[in-house]
C-alpha cells in the first residue's frame, strides 16, 4: 500500500485539465514506471468485459475535501467518477432518466452516498433509487455507525454499509463487488412515467438524524499515481472523531436497543443484524455470558417482518430437564400427574414470531431429537397429544459453549448442530472492544438514573480510564451492574476512582496508589503524573525510548497487564501539553504540530481532562 502523496491536488468537479510532473529518472526506473502507468490506466469494466466502456461511479457527499479525495482514489482505481455535492442533484438526474427514457443518459454502475446532507438525506435517496432502479447498487457511508444506521441502510436496499473511518482499499473493493453484482442493467427496466415520485421529504424523515456532523475517513490510498513522486510522503488521514463526548451522549440517548459500539467487531455485528433481520433464516449466536446475545436476538426480531408477532425467550439452563418438553411443546390434559388442563408450549405461543432458545447447549439429548423435527418440517406433538401441531416460527439459538466440542463428546446431536448453525453470529467480549466502554458506561449510568429517579452521575476521566482497564469477565452485563451500583452507592455528582466497587479495584491492573483527590490533582499537572514519571529524574541521562522500555519491563515484571492502556493516555497527555505550550495555547496550531485535526485535539482535551 503506497502512502498518499499530499503534493498531488485531487481533481475538482470542474477541472478537466491534466498535468504531469516529470522527475529525472534512470532508464530502469522509467521502464518500471511505464509498466506501472500501463497497469494504472486500465479501466474497470462491468464484469471485466473486454469493451471500452468504463464503469461509472456517482459519488455524493457534501464534504468537499472528502469528496475530492474519494474521487481521486476511485479514478486511480480505473473508474469514471461523477461527483455531486448533495443527493438532490443526483435525484434530479435520475428523475430525468425516468421522464425521458428514450433520450436519457446511461445510468451509473454504482452509487456511493453519504447519509446526512442538506435537502435530501442519503437514506431517503437510497430508498427512492431502490424502488425505481432496483438493479442499481448503492453503497452508503456514514460517520454515525450504530445499529440503527446499519439496519436502515440495508432496509433501503443498500448493497453495502461503510462505517467511517474506513480504509480506502476496502472501499474500492466494495465498489468493485457492487459493480459486478448486477451486470445486466437496463436504463429504464420496468419503469414508466407513472412511477415517478416526488423527491423524498427530508424534513419528515427521521433517518436524517442518524449521521454525526463529523465525517472521518482513513484516506489510505490503494496506489499512488506513477507520475507523482510519492517517496517520503506521509500518509494522509482525516479527522477520526467518532468518539467525542457529544457523540457518546447521542449514542446513549438514541439507542433503544441498548446495543452500542463503534469498534470494528461491533460494526461486523451491526452489518450481520442489518442483513439478517428481514430473513427467516435460523441464526446461532455465540459468545461469552453477558455479551448481549438476547439483545441481538431481540434486535433481529424487532427489525424483521415478524415484529408485530410474539418474541418468546427461553433459557434452557433455567428449566428442569423433565419439564423442558412440556415447556417447549405444551401438553394435553391428563398427559402426566398435575396436567389438569391443556397447555400451549412456547412454540405455539411464538407462532408467526420468533423463538429465542438461549443456552441451547444445555438442552437434554432427548429433547434435541424433537427439536430437530420441528426445524425440519415445522410440526410437533404436544406431550400426550395425538394430533400434530403446525407452527411458523423463526428459531434463534444462543450458547456460550463450544457446540462442536459437545458434538465430539456425544452431548449434542450433530444433525441438530448443522440445522442451527446456518448463520453463526459471534459476539465479541467487552475486553476486546475497550473503546466502546465510555459510550456503554454513559448509557448505563443514564438508564440507572432513570430507574432510581435521580440525576445521572458523571464518570471522572480517571474513573473511566480505570474502567477501561478492567477485564470485565461478566462482559456488558457486569458493566451494567457496576453502573447501577455506582448510581446507588457513589456520593456526589462525579464518580471518582475511590467510588468504584472494592472487588473491581482489587483486580484492577492499574492498582491505584492515590486517593481520588490526588489523582484529580495529578491529572491537572501532567508533569507529576505516573506516565510522566517515565521521563523523570532517574531516567534523565537516557532518551525517552530507553526510559519507556525500562518502564515497560518493570511493569511487566511486577505482574501488570494492559500496560498500553496505561501508557498511551499519558504519552498523549505529555505531547499535547507540550504542543499547547509551544503554540501559546492556540488549538489549531497545536493540532498541526501534533498532526491531528482540530476536532481530534478537542476530543483529546476532554478525554484527558486537560484545561484548554
Amino acid at each position: 500500500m503506497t502512502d498518499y502523496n499530499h503534493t498531488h491536488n485531487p481533481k475538482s468537479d470542474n477541472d478537466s485539465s491534466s498535468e504531469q510532473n516529470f522527475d529525472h529518472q534512470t532508464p530502469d526506473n522509467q521502464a518500471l514506471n511505464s509498466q506501472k502507468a500501463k497497469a494504472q490506466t486500465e479501466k474497470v469494466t462491468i464484469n471485466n468485459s473486454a469493451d471500452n466502456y468504463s464503469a461509472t461511479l456517482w459519488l455524493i457527499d457534501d464534504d468537499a475535501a472528502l469528496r475530492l479525495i474519494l474521487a481521486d482514489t476511485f479514478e486511480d482505481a480505473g473508474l469514471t467518477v461523477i461527483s455531486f455535492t448533495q443527493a438532490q442533484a443526483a435525484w434530479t438526474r435520475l428523475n430525468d432518466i425516468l421522464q425521458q427514457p428514450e433520450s436519457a443518459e446511461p445510468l451509473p454502475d454504482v452509487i456511493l452516498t453519504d447519509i446526512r446532507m442538506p435537502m435530501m438525506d442519503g437514506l431517503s435517496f437510497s430508498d427512492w433509487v431502490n424502488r425505481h432502479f432496483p438493479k442499481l447498487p448503492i453503497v452508503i457511508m456514514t460517520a454515525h455507525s450504530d445499529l440503527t444506521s446499519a439496519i436502515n441502510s440495508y432496509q433501503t436496499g443498500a448493497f453495502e454499509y461503510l462505517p467511517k473511518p474506513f480504509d480506502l482499499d476496502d472501499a474500492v473493493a466494495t465498489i468493485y463487488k457492487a459493480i459486478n453484482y448486477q451486470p445486466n442493467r437496463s436504463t429504464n427496466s420496468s419503469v414508466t412515467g407513472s412511477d415517478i415520485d416526488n423527491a423524498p421529504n427530508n424534513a419528515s424523515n427521521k433517518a436524517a438524524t442518524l449521521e454525526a456532523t463529523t465525517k472521518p475517513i482513513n484516506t489510505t490510498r490503494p496506489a499512488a499515481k506513477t507520475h507523482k513522486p510519492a517517496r517520503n510522503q506521509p500518509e494522509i488521514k482525516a479527522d477520526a472523531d467518532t468518539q467525542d463526548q457529544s457523540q457518546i451522549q447521542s449514542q446513549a440517548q438514541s439507542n433503544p436497543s441498548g446495543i452500542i459500539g463503534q469498534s470494528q467487531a461491533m460494526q461486523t455485528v451491526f452489518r450481520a443484524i442489518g442483513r439478517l433481520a428481514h430473513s427467516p433464516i435460523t441464526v446461532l449466536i455465540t459468545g461469552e455470558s453477558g455479551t448481549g446475545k438476547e439483545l441481538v436476538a431481540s434486535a433481529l426480531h424487532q427489525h424483521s417482518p415478524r415484529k408485530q408477532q410474539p418474541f418468546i425467550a427461553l433459557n434452557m439452563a433455567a428449566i428442569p430437564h423433565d419439564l423442558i418438553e412440556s415447556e417447549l411443546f405444551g401438553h394435553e390434559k391428563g398427559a402426566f400427574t398435575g396436567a389438569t388442563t391443556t397447555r400451549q408450549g412456547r412454540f405455539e405461543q411464538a407462532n408467526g414470531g420468533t423463538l429465542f432458545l438461549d443456552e441451547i447447549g444445555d438442552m437434554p439429548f432427548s429433547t434435541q431429537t424433537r427439536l430437530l423435527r420441528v426445524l425440519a418440517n415445522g410440526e410437533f406433538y404436544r406431550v400426550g397429544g395425538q394430533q400434530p401441531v403446525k407452527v411458523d416460527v423463526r428459531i434463534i439459538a444462543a450458547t456460550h459453549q463450544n457446540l462442536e466440542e459437545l458434538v465430539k463428546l456425544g452431548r449434542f446431536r450433530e444433525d441438530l448442530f448443522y440445522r442451527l448453525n446456518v448463520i453463526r453470529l459471534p459476539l465479541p467480549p467487552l475486553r476486546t472492544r475497550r473503546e466502546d466502554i465510555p459510550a456503554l458506561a454513559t448509557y448505563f449510568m443514564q438508564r440507572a438514573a432513570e430507574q432510581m429517579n435521580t440525576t445521572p452521575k458523571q464518570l471522572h476521566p480517571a474513573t473511566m480510564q480505570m474502567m477501561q482497564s478492567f477485564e470485565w469477565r461478566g462482559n456488558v452485563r457486569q458493566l451494567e451492574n457496576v453502573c447501577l451500583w455506582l448510581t446507588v452507592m457513589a456520593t456526589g455528582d462525579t464518580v471518582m476512582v475511590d467510588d468504584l466497587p472494592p472487588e473491581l479495584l482489587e483486580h484492577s491492573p492499574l492498582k491505584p496508589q492515590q486517593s481520588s483527590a490526588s489523582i484529580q490533582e495529578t491529572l491537572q499537572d501532567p508533569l507529576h503524573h505516573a506516565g510522566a514519571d517515565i521521563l523523570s529524574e532517574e531516567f534523565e541521562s537516557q532518551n525517552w525510548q530507553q526510559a519507556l522500555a525500562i518502564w515497560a519491563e518493570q511493569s511487566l515484571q511486577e505482574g501488570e497487564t494492559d500496560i498500553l492502556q496505561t501508557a498511551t493516555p499519558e504519552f498523549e497527555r505529555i505531547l499535547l501539553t507540550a504542543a499547547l505550550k509551544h503554540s501559546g495555547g492556540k488549538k489549531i496550531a497545536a493540532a498541526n504540530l501534533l498532526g491531528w485535526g482540530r476536532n481530534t485535539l478537542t476530543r483529546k482535551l476532554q478525554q484527558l481532562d486537560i484545561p484548554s
Side-chain angles (χ1 to χ4, degrees):
M1 187 184 304
T2 308
D3 291 340
Y4 182 72
N5 178 9
H6 72 273
T7 63
H8 170 57
N9 296 321
K11 301 178 183 64
S12 66
D13 294 345
N14 300 320
D15 185 14
S16 60
S17 64
S18 60
E19 297 181 359
Q20 287 188 335
N21 181 13
F22 294 97
D23 289 337
H24 176 70
Q25 298 175 335
T26 64
D28 290 342
N29 287 338
Q30 290 177 352
L32 178 60
N33 287 338
S34 176
Q35 295 175 2
K36 290 182 178 180
K38 182 178 179 181
Q40 287 282 333
T41 56
E42 290 181 355
K43 296 180 179 180
V44 175
T45 59
I46 300 300
N47 229 17
N48 299 321
S49 62
D51 58 24
N52 291 323
Y53 172 70
S54 177
T56 302
L57 164 71
W58 281 13
L59 173 62
I60 309 172
D61 199 305
D62 59 338
D63 186 321
L66 178 59
R67 188 174 64 251
L68 291 175
I69 290 174
L70 288 173
D72 188 64
T73 298
F74 290 119
E75 286 176 356
D76 286 352
L79 300 170
T80 299
V81 180
I82 300 177
S83 298
F84 298 86
T85 58
Q86 52 186 272
Q88 182 76 26
W91 174 86
T92 300
R93 291 181 65 169
L94 290 175
N95 203 25
D96 290 342
I97 295 176
L98 285 176
Q99 292 175 329
Q100 300 176 350
E102 66 282 351
S103 60
E105 61 179 304
L107 283 174
D109 299 297
V110 63
I111 297 177
L112 175 63
T113 180
D114 201 4
I115 288 186
R116 187 174 182 180
M117 293 173 289
M119 299 181 67
M120 181 188 296
D121 65 273
L123 293 178
S124 299
F125 174 75
S126 175
D127 183 64
W128 184 88
V129 171
N130 185 57
R131 285 187 283 113
H132 294 86
F133 302 94
K135 294 184 179 180
L136 176 55
I138 293 185
V139 177
I140 291 180
M141 53 183 175
T142 175
H144 200 85
S145 46
D146 58 8
L147 176 60
T148 306
S149 297
I151 290 176
N152 286 345
S153 296
Y154 289 117
Q155 287 183 345
T156 62
F159 172 81
E160 187 55 279
Y161 155 81
L162 287 177
K164 301 176 184 177
F166 54 79
D167 187 275
L168 286 185
D169 284 347
D170 296 335
V172 170
T174 299
I175 294 300
Y176 282 172
K177 291 178 183 178
I179 288 173
N180 293 304
Y181 174 62
Q182 291 283 359
N184 299 317
R185 300 187 182 85
S186 174
T187 299
N188 56 350
S189 60
S190 67
V191 177
T192 63
S194 61
D195 294 325
I196 300 172
D197 290 350
N198 292 326
N201 185 356
N202 185 54
S204 62
N205 195 315
K206 295 181 180 179
T209 63
L210 291 177
E211 176 152 20
T213 55
T214 55
K215 300 178 182 296
I217 181 172
N218 184 330
T219 57
T220 304
R221 289 285 299 276
K225 287 190 175 181
T226 56
H227 61 272
K228 297 293 181 181
R231 296 184 296 271
N232 301 323
Q233 301 295 348
E235 180 181 0
I236 302 299
K237 292 185 179 181
D239 206 8
D241 296 327
T242 57
Q243 278 291 70
D244 59 18
Q245 189 62 32
S246 61
Q247 185 162 340
I248 289 176
Q249 294 286 347
S250 175
Q251 290 178 49
Q253 294 171 359
S254 61
N255 197 325
S257 67
I259 307 176
I260 297 174
Q262 292 288 320
S263 62
Q264 289 299 320
M266 289 307 297
Q267 294 306 315
T268 301
V269 173
F270 293 165
R271 283 195 186 96
I273 295 175
R275 291 184 179 276
L276 292 170
H278 276 253
S279 169
I281 200 167
T282 301
V283 179
L284 176 62
I285 306 173
T286 60
E288 297 179 4
S289 296
T291 50
K293 295 187 286 294
E294 184 169 349
L295 285 178
V296 171
S298 178
L300 286 170
H301 172 77
Q302 292 301 326
H303 295 280
S304 74
R306 299 171 179 261
K307 62 183 178 182
Q308 301 300 330
Q309 303 301 320
F311 173 78
I312 305 295
L314 193 62
N315 191 320
M316 296 292 99
I319 305 173
H321 284 192
D322 55 349
L323 296 180
I324 282 184
E325 290 197 13
S326 175
E327 190 73 22
L328 283 172
F329 308 113
H331 59 257
E332 298 287 352
K333 180 179 179 180
F336 50 84
T337 303
T340 57
T341 59
T342 299
R343 179 183 181 276
Q344 283 190 341
R346 299 300 188 184
F347 269 98
E348 287 183 82
Q349 295 174 15
N351 189 27
T354 303
L355 179 61
F356 174 54
L357 301 177
D358 198 6
E359 300 303 345
I360 192 71
D362 291 316
M363 177 179 283
F365 202 85
S366 59
T367 310
Q368 295 175 26
T369 305
R370 297 197 63 182
L371 177 60
L372 184 63
R373 178 177 177 82
V374 182
L375 293 175
N377 54 27
E379 212 173 66
F380 64 91
Y381 291 85
R382 295 194 187 108
V383 176
Q386 302 297 320
Q387 298 297 325
V389 179
K390 192 80 173 179
V391 291
D392 174 24
V393 176
R394 183 187 189 182
I395 299 295
I396 300 178
T399 182
H400 73 281
Q401 303 182 65
N402 187 331
L403 291 187
E404 289 96 332
E405 189 64 29
L406 294 182
V407 169
K408 293 179 181 178
L409 297 174
R411 293 165 50 191
F412 201 85
R413 290 184 62 103
E414 185 174 12
D415 47 3
L416 177 58
F417 169 72
Y418 289 116
R419 284 280 184 181
L420 295 173
N421 193 38
V422 180
I423 297 292
R424 184 182 299 203
L425 181 53
L427 300 186
L430 186 57
R431 61 184 172 277
T432 64
R433 54 183 188 107
R434 299 181 191 275
E435 62 269 38
D436 293 336
I437 291 178
L440 284 166
T442 301
Y443 172 78
F444 289 136
M445 292 297 290
Q446 290 179 355
R447 197 165 76 171
E450 292 175 0
Q451 295 176 11
M452 299 293 106
N453 194 24
T454 184
T455 303
K457 295 180 180 179
Q458 303 299 317
L459 297 172
H460 190 276
T463 308
M464 186 69 75
Q465 180 183 350
M466 184 73 70
M467 294 177 71
Q468 287 183 281
S469 71
F470 293 144
E471 286 300 305
W472 297 110
R473 292 299 176 184
N475 293 294
V476 179
R477 185 183 296 120
Q478 183 185 8
L479 175 61
E480 180 180 11
N481 293 339
V482 168
C483 290
L484 183 60
W485 188 93
L486 291 173
T487 300
V488 176
M489 302 299 294
T491 58
D493 295 332
T494 302
V495 178
M496 309 304 292
V497 173
D498 291 346
D499 295 324
L500 291 172
E503 62 270 17
L504 290 184
L505 293 176
E506 290 174 2
H507 298 90
S508 170
L510 295 184
K511 297 178 182 178
Q513 300 175 355
Q514 300 169 301
S515 65
S516 56
S518 62
I519 289 178
Q520 187 172 9
E521 293 175 0
T522 56
L523 281 172
Q524 296 173 352
D525 186 4
L527 295 179
H528 294 86
H529 196 273
D533 288 344
I534 300 172
L535 306 177
S536 61
E537 297 92 9
E538 65 177 301
F539 299 122
E540 283 181 353
S541 61
Q542 306 172 35
N543 60 41
W544 67 271
Q545 294 98 329
Q546 291 174 327
L548 181 62
I550 293 174
W551 172 84
E553 289 290 341
Q554 291 178 347
S555 299
L556 293 175
Q557 289 176 1
E558 292 173 359
E560 296 187 16
T561 58
D562 290 334
I563 60 174
L564 187 61
Q565 298 291 334
T566 305
T568 300
E570 307 315 322
F571 182 78
E572 292 179 343
R573 186 191 310 278
I574 294 170
L575 294 181
L576 181 52
T577 302
L580 286 171
K581 181 179 179 181
H582 186 78
S583 65
K586 297 178 180 178
K587 292 183 181 179
I588 295 180
N592 290 334
L593 291 172
L594 294 169
W596 284 347
R598 170 64 183 269
N599 290 338
T600 298
L601 183 136
T602 302
R603 173 167 56 87
K604 292 294 184 180
L605 287 174
Q606 294 174 346
Q607 289 180 346
L608 301 174
D609 197 27
I610 298 177
S612 57

